[in-house]
Amino acid sequence: MNEILKLLEEDSRYTPAQIAAMTGKDEQYVRDTVKRCEEEHIINGYTTLVDWDRTSEEAVTAFIEVKITPQRDDGYDRIARRIYQYDEVESLYLMSGSFDFSVIVTGKSLREVSRFVSEKLAPIEGVTSTATHFIMKRYKDKHRAFLVEPEQEERTLFI
Amino acid sequence: MMDYERIMSRRVKSLQPSGIRKFFDILDTMQGAISLGIGEPDFVTPWHIREAGVYSLEQGYTKYTSNAGLSRLRAAASEYLKRRFDIDYKPSEIFITVGGSEAIDLCVRAMLNPGDEVVIPVPSFVCYGPLVTMAGGVPVYVETKAENEFRLTADELRGAITPRTKLLVLPYPNNPTGAIMERADLEAVAEVLRGTDVMILSDEIYAELTYGQKHVSPCNIPELSERTLLVNGFSKAFAMTGWRLGYVCGPERIMKQMLKIHQYGIMSAPTTSQYAAIEALRNGDGDIEMMRDSYDKRRKLMLKGLRNLGLTCFEPRGAFYMFPQIGGFGLTSEEFCTRFLQEEKVAIIPGTAFGPGGEGFTRICYASSVENIETAISRLGAFLERLRS
């Protein structure tokens, strides 16, 4: 199973036939495994890595450090749920160290993101402080470098 | 007017240039062509290795090293060979060369007297024969067979050995066939060589790239180790082709003589590359596993693709090439590959480029993207369909 997952994580467009060939497994087995992983939420979706900076789309991403007071009974999870259900939130992680949550927020402009932080995120009960860092350039995401280096020149053609 | 043709070395002139040059002239002019003809990793050298090279430049390490190479690198190579292959060479029995190619050249030149014969199993990498000729020796080609999984058999070897035989080249894991020699195969070789003075030149540049079983070196066979010169390098295991770095290992008395050729012809291998190589040998095992695993997946993908097209293809056990049979269409290998390139824009190499015995085969490199492999297979399918109809 893990071998199949690793291949899909590498490129989710691999077809069951390709994965079957590469792992030496039966195609039906691959289909069944993927289906089961989807049902068990081991696979939580398929998406595309877009470098929006190369498009005309205006987009801003911020990384926000959030400190909270954990709630009785629910600990961090209840506040987390109240944060991540906003569509603006791209990712949410519970962190070790000097703050509690790392929240990645996307919006169309600095103002839109700032408003989200001041009007939605900061007022959530239990949130004690936020620190917003705007992302200026995305060099690499999910093991993919976004800067494309030119190919080496004059390579040998045969050996 | 100087008549260069008349005055140049007859030996050099006798060498055949690579017959597929024109092939790549065609490729050069094509849009949207895919090349599965280049025999090199499709990975860039892992960053921590490149960074070690960069750091050495920052430190100002830009001078020659000692002729034999940095002692830290030779020590690292000694430890690496022990750790990965259970091969015992002291640092003093190892020296650093400009790629495996120089190491092969040195072995040949250090061992041959005029007229000495060198047994070369083919199909194999293109350099052995010409280097032997240049050293005044005589290449003796032994055609390995698909039905023997392109291994060198004891009978084939016995038939090739004469009193003039000085060297036996063991190019395994093999480019272009993907063949390997297992322990029993090497023990059979040992039996044939028993009582002779024949030395082995074991070109193990693909040693890290075997699938399903670990590489066995003649150095692992007690009877063969004393008669073996081991050639290895960084190009294939660590995706370092452009760094031009390899090494040769053997009995100290031979290394001492061999080093003289290196000393006069080369001085020392590139210093930056040597610093990067120390990092590769010490901390690169994970990179090797990652790359091998990736090649293995593509190996399976391509093998299945070729077999689905109805081609007979020996399952390669090492390196990163397929060597399917493409005889039976009324075309020579060269015609097949030329037409395939012209009609479907995919470059693969005719088996005949790798010596006698390659007719009827083609070498396809699978160190390419899954997308390229799939496109090539589908274009090959279309091409075969036309040939069959």
Side-chain angles (χ1 to χ4, degrees):
Chain A
M1 178 181 84
N2 289 2
E3 210 182 0
I4 295 172
L5 290 174
K6 278 179 189 156
L7 277 169
L8 279 174
E9 199 175 52
E10 183 183 296
D11 188 340
S12 58
R13 291 174 311 169
Y14 285 151
T15 63
Q18 288 175 319
I19 294 171
M22 286 191 275
T23 55
K25 297 273 195 303
D26 187 43
E27 196 174 321
Q28 192 55 45
Y29 171 83
V30 175
R31 283 181 200 284
D32 293 345
T33 305
V34 171
K35 188 150 181 284
R36 184 168 57 80
C37 288
E38 287 168 350
E39 284 164 4
E40 292 175 6
H41 296 285
I42 294 167
I43 292 174
N44 290 286
Y46 305 86
T47 180
T48 303
L49 289 171
V50 179
D51 185 357
W52 288 109
D53 289 349
R54 292 175 190 270
T55 71
S56 58
E57 185 81 9
E58 290 295 324
V60 171
T61 305
F63 157 73
I64 305 161
E65 299 174 3
V66 178
K67 289 184 186 167
I68 65 158
T69 317
Q71 307 285 293
R72 192 149 50 94
D73 301 333
D74 292 313
Y76 294 96
D77 292 351
R78 181 155 171 268
I79 299 177
R81 219 174 280 125
R82 297 186 70 176
I83 295 174
Y84 72 63
Q85 301 209 44
Y86 285 108
D87 286 340
E88 291 89 339
V89 175
E90 186 185 298
S91 320
L92 173 62
Y93 308 102
L94 178 63
M95 310 295 288
S96 67
S98 62
F99 59 97
D100 302 300
F101 287 131
S102 152
V103 188
I104 313 274
V105 171
T106 54
K108 283 191 170 29
S109 62
L110 294 182
R111 214 167 77 188
E112 192 180 292
V113 172
S114 307
R115 278 182 59 180
F116 172 78
V117 175
S118 59
E119 292 176 13
K120 306 277 175 50
L121 185 58
I124 290 173
E125 197 188 337
V127 170
T128 57
S129 79
T130 65
T132 305
H133 311 272
F134 285 101
I135 287 166
M136 299 175 64
K137 192 168 183 177
R138 195 153 55 145
Y139 290 99
K140 189 177 182 182
D141 213 341
K142 298 276 174 198
H143 297 283
R144 293 294 197 288
F146 279 34
L147 285 176
V148 182
E149 307 291 352
E151 279 271 313
Q152 185 185 326
E153 295 173 290
E154 294 179 29
R155 294 174 51 200
T156 185
L157 291 167
F158 164 69
I159 195 119
Chain B
M1 192 87 142
M2 300 285 282
D3 180 1
Y4 301 128
E5 291 305 317
R6 187 175 56 80
I7 59 178
M8 266 189 298
S9 154
R10 277 187 292 278
R11 230 177 236 166
V12 173
K13 283 174 60 186
S14 79
L15 298 183
Q16 292 298 312
S18 166
I20 49 180
R21 192 65 245 172
K22 57 169 191 214
F23 214 74
F24 286 101
D25 293 341
I26 306 174
L27 183 66
D28 252 358
T29 62
M30 268 184 183
Q31 293 284 311
I34 295 173
S35 176
L36 300 181
I38 309 169
E40 73 178 324
D42 63 337
F43 292 98
V44 174
T45 309
W47 171 243
H48 68 104
I49 298 173
R50 281 186 277 155
E51 200 278 336
V54 171
Y55 183 65
S56 78
L57 290 173
E58 285 176 354
Q59 300 280 96
Y61 299 156
T62 58
K63 304 250 166 47
Y64 295 125
T65 67
S66 63
N67 295 132
L70 293 167
S71 38
R72 279 204 295 138
L73 177 55
R74 295 161 73 203
S78 169
E79 283 161 26
Y80 164 86
L81 288 171
K82 181 69 188 165
R83 178 174 82 245
R84 304 287 298 183
F85 304 109
D86 197 24
I87 292 175
D88 291 294
Y89 279 113
K90 297 195 287 274
S92 58
E93 296 169 313
I94 301 172
F95 77 83
I96 310 301
T97 58
V98 178
S101 304
E102 192 217 346
I104 294 165
D105 189 28
L106 293 180
C107 291
V108 169
R109 291 209 268 169
M111 299 308 296
L112 296 194
N113 287 313
D116 282 351
E117 294 174 359
V118 178
V119 176
I120 305 169
V122 282
S124 59
F125 185 52
V126 293
C127 77
Y128 310 113
L131 292 179
V132 167
T133 303
M134 282 308 296
V138 180
V140 175
Y141 295 109
V142 178
E143 293 184 24
T144 58
K145 302 283 182 302
E147 63 258 33
N148 298 326
E149 300 187 324
F150 296 105
R151 293 158 201 252
L152 176 67
T153 67
D155 283 343
E156 290 163 344
L157 176 59
R158 203 172 288 118
I161 291 200
T162 74
R164 301 295 320 252
T165 307
K166 176 62 69 68
L167 263 181
L168 162 65
V169 178
L170 284 181
Y172 296 96
N174 184 266
N175 166 15
T177 63
I180 57 165
M181 291 283 273
E182 290 181 278
R183 184 171 290 276
D185 304 310
L186 291 170
E187 280 165 356
V189 166
E191 215 172 295
V192 178
L193 297 187
R194 191 174 299 148
T196 71
D197 286 333
V198 176
M199 291 287 292
I200 292 172
L201 192 183
S202 189
D203 180 357
E204 304 185 18
I205 195 78
Y206 291 100
E208 289 285 9
L209 302 179
T210 59
Y211 310 102
Q213 62 284 300
K214 269 190 78 87
H215 171 68
V216 185
S217 164
C219 301
N220 299 126
I221 312 294
E223 212 180 324
L224 292 182
S225 61
E226 66 164 356
R227 60 169 85 231
T228 298
L229 301 171
L230 171 70
V231 168
N232 206 329
F234 299 85
S235 295
K236 306 307 187 318
F238 300 101
M240 291 178 73
T241 49
W243 299 78
R244 307 309 308 125
L245 209 67
Y247 49 94
V248 57
C249 317
E252 226 170 299
R253 295 182 66 157
I254 296 180
M255 293 296 104
K256 214 171 140 192
Q257 297 299 323
M258 204 184 281
L259 189 61
K260 292 192 290 190
I261 315 174
H262 176 77
Q263 177 187 345
Y264 292 125
I266 298 288
M267 284 298 290
S268 61
T271 303
T272 311
S273 302
Q274 292 193 49
Y275 279 101
I278 295 173
E279 172 65 19
L281 292 178
R282 288 197 178 152
N283 299 312
D285 289 8
D287 303 303
I288 294 171
E289 316 294 344
M290 182 278 289
M291 290 190 266
R292 178 175 49 206
D293 187 54
S294 169
Y295 295 134
D296 190 22
K297 291 194 166 68
R298 292 177 275 172
R299 180 182 75 103
K300 289 174 180 157
L301 182 71
M302 184 174 272
L303 186 65
K304 194 165 182 185
L306 293 176
R307 286 181 173 170
N308 282 347
L309 296 179
L311 290 175
T312 303
C313 188
F314 152 70
E315 181 182 345
R317 308 270 175 194
F320 38 53
Y321 310 100
M322 297 273 154
F323 204 60
Q325 291 186 28
I326 43 101
F329 295 105
L331 300 173
T332 65
S333 304
E334 192 162 337
E335 286 165 349
F336 183 97
C337 294
T338 310
R339 273 189 57 185
F340 185 41
L341 176 60
Q342 281 167 336
E343 296 173 25
E344 297 288 342
K345 298 184 173 184
V346 180
I348 55 177
I349 310 290
T352 43
F354 303 96
E359 185 53 80
F361 295 88
T362 177
R363 186 193 80 173
I364 312 179
C365 176
Y366 55 81
S368 190
S369 69
V370 168
E371 196 184 339
N372 278 352
I373 291 171
E374 295 249 301
T375 309
I377 294 281
S378 104
R379 292 183 189 178
L380 184 58
F383 182 63
L384 292 178
E385 206 161 292
R386 281 204 302 284
L387 292 182
R388 281 170 180 147
S389 65

